[in-house]
Amino acid sequence: MWKIEDAIELYGIERWGSGFFTFNKNGNLIVKPTKNDTQVIDLKFVVDNLVSKKINFPILFRFPQILESQIKTLNGAFSHSISEYKYTNTYQGIFPMKVNQRKEVLEEIVKSGKKFNMGLEVGTKAELLAALSFELSDDALLICNGFKDDEYLHLALNAIKLNNKVVIVIDEFNETKRLLEIAKQLNIKPIIGIRAKLYSKEAANGLNRVENPQNLVSQLQRFLNV
């Protein structure tokens, strides 16, 4: 005889549900957006109710409380570890917009993450324009990745004038010169992020060039005369 426990084991809901999803005694999938047992949504009941009202499929359900809870959990975990290991710096989460570009999702992430100075990461000019429409906290980071033509760099640098804490990530050393030339034209001091590949000594054997942050930093220091 099929039991609820069998469904839980078969679908592995305890592994991916994270306390938000499970089955009730009727075998229906339920959602607990706040993990509070008194605030439960029976999805089958909701769907049956919508069908009875002649609402057409597909139907998309959103539970912003889950996003809020996960953001709190993430930041709480880092806060606990920082305290436990006496780490002397801070943690700031960044949400990559390419993961989910839905306006409703981004609005909730920005809203719930504001108290944690949570920022956004963009990889295109379109994403950067979208990111600028959200009201991030003053200390939140706006990370600019991806291919950067002059238009992208102009947009990213001008975003600094709007009091955004923009970090322009360079993938290649030759990108730096063009970035600094445009920054000089606009009279803007950029914040430069560095993307570097790390290799162990064993992995680096046989390679003609070993990329690491210190080499790139040294080149930048010589280039900038600092």
Side-chain angles (χ1 to χ4, degrees):
M1 183 177 181
W2 188 260
K3 302 185 297 295
I4 301 301
E5 291 75 13
D6 296 324
I8 291 175
E9 181 178 356
L10 176 64
Y11 296 107
I13 198 167
E14 298 295 342
R15 293 192 295 274
W16 59 263
S18 300
F20 296 109
F21 297 89
T22 189
F23 297 104
N24 62 15
K25 62 182 181 181
N26 296 319
N28 298 339
L29 180 65
I30 61 172
V31 184
K32 296 187 287 185
T34 63
K35 292 188 178 181
N36 188 330
D37 290 335
T38 64
Q39 298 175 324
V40 177
I41 301 170
D42 185 323
L43 286 181
K44 184 178 185 304
F45 174 81
V46 174
V47 170
D48 289 344
N49 188 44
L50 293 173
V51 169
S52 69
K53 295 180 179 179
K54 309 296 183 184
I55 294 179
N56 296 324
F57 289 87
I59 299 171
L60 177 63
F61 295 107
R62 290 195 181 92
F63 304 99
Q65 299 87 348
I66 294 179
L67 286 175
E68 180 181 8
S69 177
Q70 293 295 69
I71 289 172
K72 287 181 179 178
T73 299
L74 174 66
N75 284 275
F78 273 94
S79 179
H80 176 77
S81 295
I82 286 171
S83 176
E84 180 180 359
Y85 294 101
K86 297 180 173 56
Y87 181 60
T88 56
N89 213 315
T90 59
Y91 166 77
Q92 285 183 246
I94 303 294
F95 181 77
M97 287 183 63
K98 64 183 178 183
V99 173
N100 192 320
Q101 298 175 336
R102 301 285 304 189
K103 182 174 180 287
E104 300 86 350
V105 173
L106 291 168
E107 283 179 340
E108 183 57 40
I109 288 174
V110 169
K111 176 185 174 183
S112 300
K114 184 169 288 189
K115 67 182 73 173
F116 303 108
N117 293 321
M118 190 165 185
L120 296 172
E121 183 263 345
V122 302
T124 65
K125 287 174 283 188
E127 287 183 354
L128 178 52
L129 284 169
L132 292 174
S133 69
F134 296 103
E135 189 177 344
L136 299 173
S137 69
D138 293 339
D139 293 321
L141 299 176
L142 182 54
I143 308 295
C144 293
N145 275 309
F147 173 75
K148 304 172 195 67
D149 58 13
D150 288 358
E151 186 179 358
Y152 187 161
L153 292 175
H154 271 88
L155 182 60
L157 289 167
N158 277 306
I160 297 174
K161 289 186 176 181
L162 300 176
N163 297 320
N164 293 287
K165 190 173 285 187
V166 179
V167 179
I168 302 174
V169 179
I170 57 173
D171 292 281
E172 299 289 341
F173 178 71
N174 57 18
E175 291 180 345
T176 312
K177 184 176 181 180
R178 196 170 81 258
L179 167 61
L180 294 178
E181 288 174 347
I182 296 174
K184 185 176 181 180
Q185 294 171 10
L186 299 176
N187 193 28
I188 297 172
K189 184 177 181 180
I191 301 175
I192 299 175
I194 297 174
R195 182 188 300 279
K197 295 179 181 178
L198 299 177
Y199 295 97
S200 65
K201 290 182 179 179
E202 293 78 10
N205 287 337
L207 295 178
N208 294 325
R209 181 171 63 93
V210 177
E211 300 180 26
N212 64 64
Q214 191 56 50
N215 286 348
L216 188 51
V217 169
S218 297
Q219 292 182 66
L220 282 172
Q221 288 175 333
R222 290 194 297 270
F223 182 77
L224 298 172
N225 294 318
V226 295

